[in-house]
Amino acid sequence: MIVGTRLSRLAAGRLLPGMASRCAHTERKVQVPDTGDLHIVESGSGSRSLLLMPGALGSAWTDFKPQIEQLPKLLPDHTIIAWDPPGYGKSVPPQRKFGLEFFREDAEAAVKLMRALNRPKFSILGWSDGGITALILAGRHADAVEKLAIWGAGAYLNKDEVQALQAIRDVAKWSPRMREPMEKVYGVERFAQLWGEWVDAACEFYKQRDGDFCRSEVEQIKAPVFILHGKKDPMIAPEHVPWLKQRLPSALYHEFPDGKHNIHLRYAEEFNKLVADFFRGKE
């Protein structure tokens, strides 16, 4: 989720060129109680539900284009729902709120969204920050989550990750190629402001909570879990995967030997087949 973090993800990792044209999908705003109008992209028409949860400052299309396009064919019994979390992407307003509860607030908003869609039981694909949110949601709402697959996420933040974040807080020091994808979504000034707020909020977890994002929630998860990992992922400390595997001993695990943070984009076809098999029950 973090070390050197979203640099490659915010740049070439997102919006890969050469992808197939968008499949049939619908985009709309959904009124979510106590949250506001949230933007979603839906594809497929199955009775089961799969929620795609993006990373920091991420949105449906910036983070999950190959999944929106390809998963309906692999999971014909599922409807694929990709959301823009509150204050991200096209889910503005509401204004994005940070603080020590923002991951948990996103988890609650996701549950309310799925209830508003009359899909109270669902599975989750969670990347990076979305993986943290997915772990919280699965731990706190065991009755709602059927299965979850996560990658690029850790349950806490360590000292090295804090230092790495602080080193990249100022987006003016990034190359234009690294800034452009998110500047297209938010504009130059708003992206810089939003990213700075995110970094400050993440660092507060380390200062005030020993880096704890969701340690306790991980211990409460009952749903089947699939942990995917890019062996060369520079965005999370190496200790996170074994930490999760130790506490989720029944979890399925798959490693991409040359993968980095964006394995679902870089290896989209292989990734999508793996997670589709998992959600179909062929794990």
Side-chain angles (χ1 to χ4, degrees):
M1 169 228 22
I2 296 174
V3 176
T5 193
R6 289 76 177 163
L7 290 185
S8 63
R9 193 196 75 199
L10 295 180
R14 281 172 161 154
L15 302 176
L16 292 180
M19 298 299 299
S21 60
R22 293 179 181 178
C23 67
H25 66 274
T26 59
E27 298 190 42
R28 60 189 172 108
K29 291 283 187 76
V30 179
Q31 188 173 18
V32 178
D34 304 316
T35 303
D37 293 338
L38 300 184
H39 176 260
I40 65 169
V41 178
E42 293 173 288
S43 57
S45 58
S47 60
R48 298 175 67 187
S49 308
L50 177 60
L51 177 63
L52 312 186
M53 307 187 81
L57 280 62
S59 63
W61 283 116
T62 59
D63 286 18
F64 288 118
K65 186 171 184 285
Q67 285 67 49
I68 294 169
E69 293 175 345
Q70 298 172 25
L71 284 179
K73 297 177 182 178
L74 297 172
L75 291 169
D77 59 339
H78 284 69
T79 294
I80 312 302
I81 300 156
W83 81 326
D84 295 2
Y88 286 171
K90 296 180 181 179
S91 290
V92 180
Q95 186 80 357
R96 183 64 185 182
K97 295 180 181 179
F98 291 108
L100 293 176
E101 297 300 322
F102 81 87
F103 285 118
R104 290 181 177 133
E105 289 169 355
D106 278 1
E108 295 303 317
V111 170
K112 292 176 183 177
L113 167 67
M114 298 305 282
R115 289 173 180 167
L117 294 172
N118 197 27
R119 294 178 176 274
K121 288 188 72 68
F122 53 96
S123 294
I124 307 174
L125 268 179
W127 178 35
S128 199
D129 273 25
I132 298 170
T133 306
L135 291 169
I136 293 171
L137 200 163
R140 294 194 162 202
H141 296 277
D143 58 333
V145 179
E146 294 181 332
K147 295 184 176 184
L148 70 152
I150 61 167
W151 66 107
Y156 58 88
L157 187 69
N158 70 23
K159 182 178 180 180
D160 290 341
E161 291 171 321
V162 169
Q163 292 175 344
L165 278 178
Q166 292 171 337
I168 59 169
R169 187 186 186 282
D170 183 3
V171 299
K173 298 178 181 178
W174 298 14
S175 71
R177 182 179 66 88
M178 291 176 175
R179 296 193 306 265
E180 283 174 3
M182 301 310 282
E183 288 179 345
K184 289 180 179 179
V185 174
Y186 296 105
V188 174
E189 291 185 7
R190 180 56 181 154
F191 168 54
Q193 178 188 12
L194 199 59
W195 176 250
E197 291 174 357
W198 186 93
V199 170
D200 292 344
C203 291
E204 282 301 307
F205 278 91
Y206 185 76
K207 294 177 183 178
Q208 299 190 39
R209 293 188 177 175
D210 191 30
D212 187 8
F213 293 141
C214 60
R215 288 187 179 103
S216 62
E217 284 87 354
V218 170
E219 305 282 357
Q220 300 168 31
I221 291 173
K222 297 178 180 178
V225 179
F226 189 8
I227 301 170
L228 300 103
H229 179 58
K231 179 74 171 181
K232 299 179 180 179
D233 188 344
M235 315 306 177
I236 62 171
E239 67 197 60
H240 288 299
V241 170
W243 189 96
L244 287 169
K245 289 170 69 176
Q246 182 180 6
R247 287 155 182 81
L248 300 167
S250 299
L252 183 68
Y253 178 73
H254 183 86
E255 187 171 279
F256 291 77
D258 294 318
K260 296 184 179 179
H261 198 54
N262 60 340
I263 53 176
H264 66 302
L265 302 176
R266 178 66 178 83
Y267 305 99
E269 185 174 349
E270 180 183 359
F271 178 95
N272 288 346
K273 184 180 184 303
L274 286 166
V275 297
D277 285 349
F278 172 68
F279 291 122
R280 282 200 307 263
K282 294 184 180 181
E283 68 274 21

